[in-house]
Amino acid sequence: MNSRQFANTSSNMVQEVKNIIEGYDMGSLRALAQEPVQNALDAVRPGRKTVEVEYRLLRRHTAEGNLCYLLTVTDSGTTGLRGPMVSDEELEGRHFKLKADENWAAFEAQGYTKENEDALGSRGQGKAAFLYHSYVPGETRRMLMLYDTFLENSEYRFGIRFARPVDQRLKTPLLDDEAQAAAQDSALSVGGELTVPLGLAPLREVGTRVIVPFLEETSDVPKLQPYSELSGWLQRCWWRAIQTGKLKLRIVDEEQQIAEEISVPSWWQDLPRVQGKSAATGNWRDIPGGGRACIWRELPLDGGYQIRQLALLHSAALEEDEITHDHPEYAGIQVLRGSQWIETRGTREEYGDFIPVDKRPGFRGYVEFDKATDSALRASEKPQHDGYNGRHKTVRLIRAELKSRVREFSETMGWALPQAATKQQVSQREKSTHSRFLQTFLNPNGHKPKSGNRKGGTETPQLVWDCRLDLEYPDPKSARVDWGQLIRNVYVWVGFEPDGDLAGSADLILEWLDDSGKAQEIYRQDDAIRKQWNEDSVQQKFELGDWTILRGKASRERQIECPEPGECRLRAVVEYHSERVTRAERTVYVQTEPPPPPKKNPVTLSISAENISAGNISAYKQKRVDHSQVLHIQINARNRRLEDGTFYLTATFANEIFARDEAVTLIGTPAGDSPRRQCLISEKRQLLDPQQSAPLFMLDGVQHLKMPDSSGVYRVSAELTDSNGESIAVASRPVYFQRDPGNARNNLPFGIGQEDQKEMWKMNADLTKLTYPQNYPLYKELPVPQRQHRALQANLAFIAEISANGLLEWALRPKEQGDDSNYDQLHDESRALDNALWDDLNRGLEDLSKTVESPTDFAQTWRATVAIMLEIFEEENG
């Protein structure tokens, strides 16, 4: 072996391996149970129904007499590592593309692309899973793996990969007799500096064997024995492939002479098979030991996808059976792809609203799909094969369908919903505090309902105002403006509705806010906004020209004094009957570099869907829409990227399609500026009950929309995709047609309750319920107020604090999918225009969007924003 040459690559293989395997949320053993078996199944030999994989634990002694443990992972029923040896130079010349049958080259390469396959297998997870468990003796972290393969043409190969930490492998593998001799060598020399005690019998059946030497004796070896942690992961990952006969798995401890055949979990062993399409309500079965199961087959999904089989069961005889307890494994619905377990939608995390606490340990489920859906899922799969990208449209469809079936299962089982047990534990005073907190921040027409009286006692109409401010920076890609430079083409757009209700006129004001937030009025036009600017419109654009930023004193019009550098703002304000009713702002970084655009979710969607029928524009907008009432749907988008971008919009509501892959261009945002909301769709529909007669009157410019049913919850849905069809942003908004919105009445998005939990507060997956534990130390210590004098008195302060945290999560969590709908309700520039605290809240929300890349900054900003919200609540409700 000393004469054999090693090829060096430029990578630090030790660090790469750690980065790959430590990316598995459930740990390195899941990777070791998952990746080798997946590679074996991918290499199944034509004509063979079953692939067999054996994990064998071996005990050896080194030449120095030290104890050494080895793990071998051997597959049979496969093609082995066939194909030619492709040199690094040739692979680079091919632009790192390999043919489908070049298995040896694929196993030795890194960062390749293989014909007819996606990129998931090219990242080196399989190699990393082996290398990570090797601890070569020495002062620095080193890793080693050896591998041999026997091919159908009787060729035998032997290779070595050594990470020390530079990545090395044999330039040319050992072949035939030399390869077999290496496998049998009890002191195989590696690189002239290390010997490995192998002593293995050569392979006699077509397949591959990987040898991991120098296992960590105290931490790894006990987990790799039969009936240990490794067997648990193998069962979790592969039980369905075992059940269908695609796979056989075994773990052998050679020294102890113990072998374990991995089996199917007991609860799935006796479940009867169902062929063909199931009944609409599923096929229900009693299961041995007590309990019931339901199987659905051939459930259709939008887009032509299909759930091939979904099985749910509950048995009181089952106990919780998890390894890590940090992530669900069996407790929930296992999502399978190609008979492999990828993720589990957890009983507590995903379905806690439908499954009572005492029923959760005995609840199990799995779901598998047809080939087309499997292919779509693989495209959205994480590189670690342990989860899916939740933004992917197919994933969202599947998760929604699973949730619906769990609800159906729960109702058929006669389970009381979990919240029913805790509903009465929350005092009425605490509920009232929670409701007032949400009303304070989500009232659509301001922080407090207005009296409706102006000075002099005359009632003023309730108007909905809109305002936009636009300008051009010196550099179109940056909000920086230096002293002496111009802000060009400043204009303000103002609109209002209902169009006939403006009494008198309104004033237009332009203000400059310096870095400290101090405002100075730089322009005012009284009576600018009148009932009719022209014949058909109640909107107007005011062109205000160019403005110069000066360090010194302003000597003429359209000059702005700004002696100190910093983050400043230009603000347009509409004043109506001496009250500020709307505003718009743009950010200006004077003599200062603005921050770069956020990397996460730079393009977002936002949906509003409001009942705007006559008499419904009030302090609290009605969420329910009844027969013949009008729904206003508006879909907006933001582009935080520097460049303009073209995207493709699909938008639907009930049985109406507003757009299908319609090209839209979104204007980019200069670095540091607040992104502009661009309206993509604005439609009004008069909703009709299909069982009632259409109204005799027609509303001008409003189309009828006959709803599918007389009542129900329908969603306005929108998605933006790029030119490759990849989802960029998705948004969704519920519409309650002749249906009680429950917790959402009075426009409140979620209720409050108590749960047995460790967290101070927790928001459920649907963002409809905020919970807190009755035994939380702080909550237990605070007294119950006997007489309420202040909004934050005694334990009501705790309720206000968890309400603040819940409201922030409600607003920010959907942004993970590019949905700004909730965020826009909380980030309301027109709210409380006379109170600087609301400015601070809006700025905090903007900072939470900017600092998401830094966990520390994000946590600090979150806490500061909660503190601002509590101060506002105390002030507004004191």
Side-chain angles (χ1 to χ4, degrees):
M1 283 292 292
N2 290 339
S3 62
R4 296 287 173 176
Q5 290 185 334
F6 278 84
N8 289 0
T9 72
S10 59
S11 62
N12 181 332
M13 179 56 83
V14 167
Q15 190 58 52
E16 285 188 18
V17 166
K18 291 179 67 176
N19 290 344
I20 291 171
I21 299 303
E22 289 172 6
Y24 284 76
D25 289 339
M26 297 187 188
S28 62
L29 276 184
R30 172 165 181 178
L32 189 62
Q34 189 167 267
E35 300 299 339
V37 180
Q38 179 65 65
N39 291 341
L41 286 170
D42 288 343
V44 61
R45 195 158 74 251
R48 291 294 294 263
K49 178 184 177 183
T50 304
V51 167
E52 298 185 27
V53 181
E54 178 191 89
Y55 290 72
R56 182 173 289 263
L57 187 62
L58 305 166
R59 179 172 170 160
R60 298 286 189 267
H61 285 87
T62 66
E64 296 78 22
N66 298 321
L67 183 64
C68 174
Y69 285 93
L70 286 73
L71 177 72
T72 65
V73 182
T74 308
D75 63 57
S76 58
T78 64
T79 61
L81 297 179
R82 63 183 180 181
M85 282 71 77
V86 181
S87 68
D88 293 341
E89 294 76 17
E90 183 180 350
L91 184 59
E92 184 175 358
R94 291 196 205 172
H95 303 289
F96 299 96
K97 295 185 181 297
L98 290 171
K99 297 178 182 178
D101 61 349
E102 292 180 331
N103 294 358
W104 179 272
F107 193 77
E108 291 212 319
Q110 193 83 355
Y112 66 89
T113 301
K114 205 170 183 183
E115 287 181 0
N116 303 320
E117 290 186 11
D118 56 44
L120 289 180
S122 68
R123 302 171 191 249
Q125 278 94 338
K127 294 181 281 288
F130 293 119
L131 285 167
Y132 188 84
H133 291 88
S134 172
Y135 286 80
V136 177
E139 295 182 359
T140 60
R141 180 77 163 93
R142 299 186 297 171
M143 306 169 177
L144 177 66
M145 60 181 281
L146 309 98
Y147 38 97
D148 55 351
T149 187
F150 184 53
L151 304 180
E152 286 184 280
N153 62 1
S154 297
E155 183 179 350
Y156 205 105
R157 299 177 183 175
F158 189 98
I160 302 174
R161 196 170 203 119
F162 195 5
R164 55 189 206 172
V166 65
D167 180 28
Q168 292 187 323
R169 67 177 184 277
L170 285 180
K171 275 191 174 181
T172 305
L174 306 182
L175 298 177
D176 299 330
D177 291 344
E178 191 178 4
Q180 294 189 41
Q184 297 175 81
D185 198 337
S186 60
L188 181 69
S189 177
V190 177
E193 61 178 272
L194 181 71
T195 60
V196 183
L198 295 181
L200 303 172
L203 297 174
R204 298 303 180 199
E205 187 175 349
V206 175
T208 301
R209 174 172 58 193
V210 178
I211 306 129
V212 183
F214 306 113
L215 299 174
E216 212 293 320
E217 182 178 357
T218 57
S219 61
D220 280 348
V221 170
K223 298 176 182 178
L224 299 174
Q225 294 170 332
Y227 305 101
S228 63
E229 186 175 329
L230 175 63
S231 66
W233 287 119
L234 287 169
Q235 186 187 62
R236 281 156 175 75
C237 292
W238 299 109
W239 69 266
R240 184 60 174 159
I242 294 170
Q243 188 177 51
T244 57
K246 295 180 181 178
L247 181 66
K248 287 185 178 181
L249 287 173
R250 286 203 307 168
I251 303 177
V252 177
D253 186 329
E254 190 174 84
E255 182 189 19
Q256 303 291 331
Q257 295 186 332
I258 300 174
E260 177 191 6
E261 190 94 13
I262 304 302
S263 62
V264 177
S266 60
W267 50 88
W268 296 128
Q269 287 178 359
D270 299 320
L271 195 67
R273 296 186 178 182
V274 176
Q275 300 296 326
K277 191 172 183 179
S278 64
T281 57
N283 293 279
W284 285 84
R285 299 285 191 276
D286 292 329
I287 56 178
R292 301 203 73 197
C294 186
I295 302 171
W296 291 268
R297 284 188 55 81
E298 299 180 18
L299 294 174
L301 301 169
D302 288 349
Y305 297 116
Q306 184 187 76
I307 291 176
R308 187 173 66 193
Q309 182 157 284
L310 168 63
L312 303 179
L313 65 78
H314 177 267
S315 170
L318 293 176
E319 297 181 356
E320 186 173 315
D321 184 7
E322 309 287 48
I323 295 175
T324 66
H325 295 276
D326 294 328
H327 300 274
E329 300 152 22
Y330 282 137
I333 301 178
Q334 287 191 313
V335 182
L336 310 180
R337 194 262 307 149
S339 300
Q340 175 186 3
W341 170 54
I342 303 298
E343 70 173 9
T344 299
R345 306 309 297 169
T347 302
R348 180 171 64 89
E349 298 84 353
E350 187 82 355
Y351 310 120
D353 287 349
F354 312 130
I355 304 175
V357 174
D358 62 323
K359 307 295 184 185
R360 293 174 189 172
F363 180 84
R364 304 281 192 275
Y366 76 88
V367 60
E368 55 188 358
F369 311 93
D370 63 2
K371 289 184 178 180
T373 312
D374 266 355
S375 178
L377 281 175
R378 188 168 175 84
S380 70
E381 197 171 302
K382 294 180 181 178
Q384 292 81 11
H385 307 290
D386 62 358
Y388 296 106
N389 180 355
R391 292 171 56 180
H392 196 279
K393 184 176 181 179
T394 308
V395 175
R396 298 198 313 272
L397 289 171
I398 290 168
R399 290 178 180 176
E401 180 67 17
L402 295 182
K403 190 168 291 187
S404 174
R405 297 297 170 174
V406 173
R407 180 195 291 271
E408 181 181 333
F409 184 88
S410 176
E411 291 172 350
T412 304
M413 294 291 287
W415 292 342
L417 293 183
Q419 54 264 41
T422 60
K423 187 175 180 180
Q424 300 304 318
Q425 298 174 8
V426 182
S427 74
Q428 189 59 45
R429 186 169 289 178
E430 290 173 351
K431 290 181 184 177
S432 175
T433 298
H434 173 72
S435 296
R436 283 193 295 125
F437 194 94
L438 299 189
Q439 289 170 358
T440 297
F441 291 95
L442 295 178
N443 178 356
N445 289 320
H447 65 297
K448 282 185 178 179
K450 297 180 175 63
S451 63
N453 292 333
R454 58 175 169 150
K455 294 178 181 179
T458 305
E459 184 175 341
T460 58
Q462 184 71 54
L463 299 170
V464 177
W465 292 87
D466 194 8
C467 180
R468 295 201 302 269
L469 171 63
D470 209 348
L471 53 83
E472 295 176 10
Y473 297 103
D475 179 352
K477 293 186 178 180
S478 174
R480 176 178 177 135
V481 181
D482 291 338
W483 286 310
Q485 290 186 318
L486 292 172
I487 302 174
R488 298 186 181 276
N489 298 325
V490 176
Y491 74 80
V492 180
W493 180 96
V494 181
F496 65 90
E497 59 177 282
D499 56 5
D501 286 354
L502 185 71
S505 61
D507 308 326
L508 178 64
I509 303 168
L510 199 63
E511 295 179 332
W512 177 261
L513 287 79
D514 62 21
D515 189 60
S516 68
K518 182 180 178 181
Q520 59 171 313
E521 186 177 301
I522 59 175
Y523 175 85
R524 186 182 189 99
Q525 185 177 346
D526 293 335
D527 301 324
I529 302 159
R530 299 181 177 276
K531 194 165 188 175
Q532 288 186 338
W533 287 302
N534 51 56
E535 292 183 1
D536 303 317
S537 176
V538 286
Q539 58 189 32
Q540 178 72 308
K541 176 179 177 181
F542 297 89
E543 297 183 357
L544 305 181
D546 303 339
W547 293 75
T548 307
I549 307 297
L550 296 178
R551 189 171 191 177
K553 188 173 180 61
S555 59
R556 60 179 185 270
E557 290 185 351
R558 291 184 168 77
Q559 291 184 338
I560 301 172
E561 296 179 14
C562 185
E564 299 294 333
E567 180 183 353
C568 305
R569 282 171 285 167
L570 187 66
R571 174 188 289 171
V573 179
V574 173
E575 197 172 85
Y576 179 52
H577 294 163
S578 302
E579 185 178 81
R580 296 186 167 209
V581 291
T582 188
R583 70 179 180 191
E585 292 183 350
R586 298 295 295 274
T587 306
V588 180
Y589 283 82
V590 176
Q591 211 73 28
T592 304
E593 285 298 330
K599 296 179 182 178
K600 198 169 186 180
N601 301 119
V603 178
T604 56
L605 283 167
S606 174
I607 297 177
S608 65
E610 296 181 341
N611 184 345
I612 61 167
S613 298
N616 194 46
I617 301 177
S618 60
Y620 300 103
K621 290 192 177 181
Q622 178 181 310
K623 206 164 186 90
R624 172 178 170 137
V625 185
D626 289 323
H627 172 66
S628 80
Q629 290 188 323
V630 177
L631 179 72
H632 182 203
I633 296 172
Q634 186 159 316
I635 301 176
N636 302 309
R638 289 187 178 93
N639 179 14
R640 296 172 175 84
R641 296 171 177 169
L642 299 179
E643 307 289 346
D644 296 354
T646 299
F647 304 94
Y648 299 88
L649 174 69
T650 297
T652 61
F653 170 62
N655 50 16
E656 181 166 3
I657 299 173
F658 294 116
R660 175 174 286 166
D661 292 328
E662 180 179 314
V664 295
T665 299
L666 301 183
I667 300 171
T669 301
D673 193 15
S674 299
R676 283 162 286 183
R677 239 184 330 190
Q678 301 174 57
C679 181
L680 305 182
I681 289 176
S682 182
E683 296 284 347
K684 296 176 182 177
R685 293 291 184 270
Q686 188 174 22
L687 306 189
L688 303 181
D689 184 334
Q691 304 301 320
Q692 296 189 41
S693 302
L696 298 176
F697 60 91
M698 286 286 292
L699 298 175
D700 292 339
V702 179
Q703 299 180 31
H704 288 174
L705 176 59
K706 185 175 288 187
M707 301 299 287
D709 293 300
S710 292
S711 68
V713 181
Y714 301 90
R715 286 193 168 270
V716 182
S717 299
E719 180 176 26
L720 281 177
T721 58
D722 61 16
S723 57
N724 297 320
E726 290 295 319
S727 179
I728 298 298
V730 294
S732 180
R733 206 83 187 141
V735 174
Y736 297 86
F737 179 61
Q738 302 193 144
R739 172 72 63 87
D740 181 0
N743 286 332
R745 62 170 57 92
N746 285 342
N747 230 15
L748 301 185
F750 54 88
I752 191 171
Q754 287 185 351
E755 287 281 357
D756 182 14
Q757 63 190 48
K758 294 181 179 179
E759 302 96 323
M760 174 183 173
W761 56 273
K762 184 173 65 176
M763 180 70 73
N764 69 351
D766 288 341
L767 300 176
T768 57
K769 187 172 183 182
L770 178 69
T771 57
Y772 63 95
Q774 189 176 34
N775 59 353
Y776 193 80
L778 178 60
Y779 178 71
K780 288 169 64 178
E781 288 297 319
L782 291 170
V784 176
Q786 298 302 311
R787 191 174 292 176
Q788 185 174 354
H789 297 292
R790 293 173 32 243
L792 299 181
Q793 185 184 24
N795 71 353
L796 300 184
F798 177 86
I799 300 299
E801 186 171 350
I802 67 165
S803 297
N805 282 292
L807 194 51
L808 285 182
E809 182 170 351
W810 174 84
L812 295 172
R813 196 202 293 174
K815 288 173 74 70
E816 294 292 320
Q817 297 182 349
D819 187 347
D820 268 351
S821 303
N822 294 351
Y823 176 86
D824 281 346
Q825 288 190 63
L826 190 54
H827 184 281
D828 185 353
E829 292 184 350
S830 67
R831 182 167 31 212
L833 301 177
D834 54 348
N835 188 338
L837 281 173
W838 293 94
D839 281 338
D840 296 337
L841 172 60
N842 285 338
R843 189 54 53 92
L845 292 170
E846 292 170 7
D847 289 342
L848 283 171
S849 296
K850 295 175 184 176
T851 60
V852 70
E853 300 298 329
S854 168
T856 301
D857 289 349
F858 186 85
Q860 291 176 344
T861 305
W862 184 290
R863 290 193 297 270
T865 307
V866 167
I868 294 169
M869 295 172 76
L870 293 174
E871 188 175 353
I872 292 172
F873 180 62
E874 175 77 359
E875 182 177 291
E876 298 291 333
N877 296 273

